[in-house]
Amino acid sequence: MERQLYVVGDVHGHLAELTRALNAAGLVDDSGDWSGGDAELWFLGDFVDRGPDGIGVIDLVMRLSAQAGESGGRVDSLVGNHEVLLLGMHRFGDEDVPGAPTPRSFAKSWNLNGGLRSDQDRLTPEHVEWLTSRDVVHLVDGHLLMHSDTLAYLEWGGTVDEVNEAVRAILTGDDLAQWWECWRKMTTRYAFRGPEGGVVAGELLKLMGGAEIVHGHSVFADQLGVMPEEVDGPLRYADDRVLAVDAGLYSGGPCLVVELR
């Protein structure tokens, strides 16, 4: 029997909702421990900000990763733009970005984008090491997993490995300007919307591999013309080449645990 493959989009600190959704999918038991056997579960990033317990979410995912590995499964995560923001705030604080046309800093952006002091206070070296060693794009079973629905990843390389290596070098380095560019690029969005979206997605897949793109980052309720609380599943669009899974948990939408076929 083929193993099951799942993805979860932007959690933004909503630990209780995530735990309930994973339990409903049969991936964790009533105690919040891994019960998914050899299933594979990928988080698409944005664990923190805008919700009450981002570090609690990271702790859960790190614990499930260890438990799943012991039972032949896998739990892993991509880096989202809010992880870059969290880590940039931790590393650089209110230091001005060099060369910026107006005063900019991670502290200012962190405050504007729902940063929580409790997350910063509880961030440990273990969290930092784990987050900075995650991929930003990943190809699994024909699904190209990305956090952001953007082509900006291509500015770091033309293959999955090149992109991951380039971003990992930035996030393990001390160049504030490069960190800031990483944050800026990963906040861009909507590359696959509009009449040419399917063509754009197809070109990216031809370059990086896979049959479909799976992303979080952009709440898709607006594409459907509904409120987030009316969403009941992921959105397939761009000539069926893209699957959006961020249902807007922080703004009242559901926490989707999406099985990929």
Side-chain angles (χ1 to χ4, degrees), residues 19-41:
T19 305
R20 283 196 295 270
L22 293 174
N23 180 252
L27 295 174
V28 304
D29 60 23
D30 291 342
S31 299
D33 292 313
W34 180 252
S35 60
D38 65 354
E40 187 165 343
L41 169 63

Side-chain angles (χ1 to χ4, degrees), residues 151-259:
L151 298 180
Y153 292 101
L154 293 176
E155 297 177 42
W156 290 306
T159 68
V160 167
D161 287 343
E162 287 174 356
V163 172
N164 287 328
E165 288 168 11
V167 175
R168 191 165 294 128
I170 292 169
L171 298 184
T172 54
D174 290 308
D175 189 320
L176 172 53
Q178 287 190 348
W179 270 78
W180 184 261
E181 272 300 285
C182 184
W183 152 249
R184 185 191 64 77
K185 288 172 183 175
M186 289 182 67
T187 61
T188 58
R189 63 181 79 236
Y190 302 152
F192 314 117
R193 294 193 184 186
E196 297 300 313
V199 174
V200 173
E203 290 298 318
L204 181 62
L205 289 166
K206 191 182 303 180
L207 192 62
M208 302 195 84
E212 73 167 358
I213 294 162
V214 183
H215 72 81
H217 188 51
S218 296
V219 179
F220 59 79
D222 57 335
Q223 276 175 275
L224 297 171
V226 301
M227 299 299 290
E229 54 266 28
E230 298 175 68
V231 169
D232 61 1
L235 174 67
R236 189 172 294 283
Y237 70 107
D239 301 335
D240 289 338
R241 288 177 166 150
V242 183
L243 187 70
V245 301
D246 181 5
L249 177 55
Y250 75 90
S251 55
C255 182
L256 298 179
V257 179
V258 180
E259 185 172 4

Side-chain angles (χ1 to χ4, degrees), residues 10-19 47 49-54 57 249-252 255:
D10 307 37
V11 179
H12 283 301
H14 289 77
L15 176 60
E17 292 88 341
L18 171 63
T19 305
F47 293 132
D49 304 336
R50 297 180 174 157
D53 193 4
V57 173
L249 177 55
Y250 75 90
S251 55
C255 182

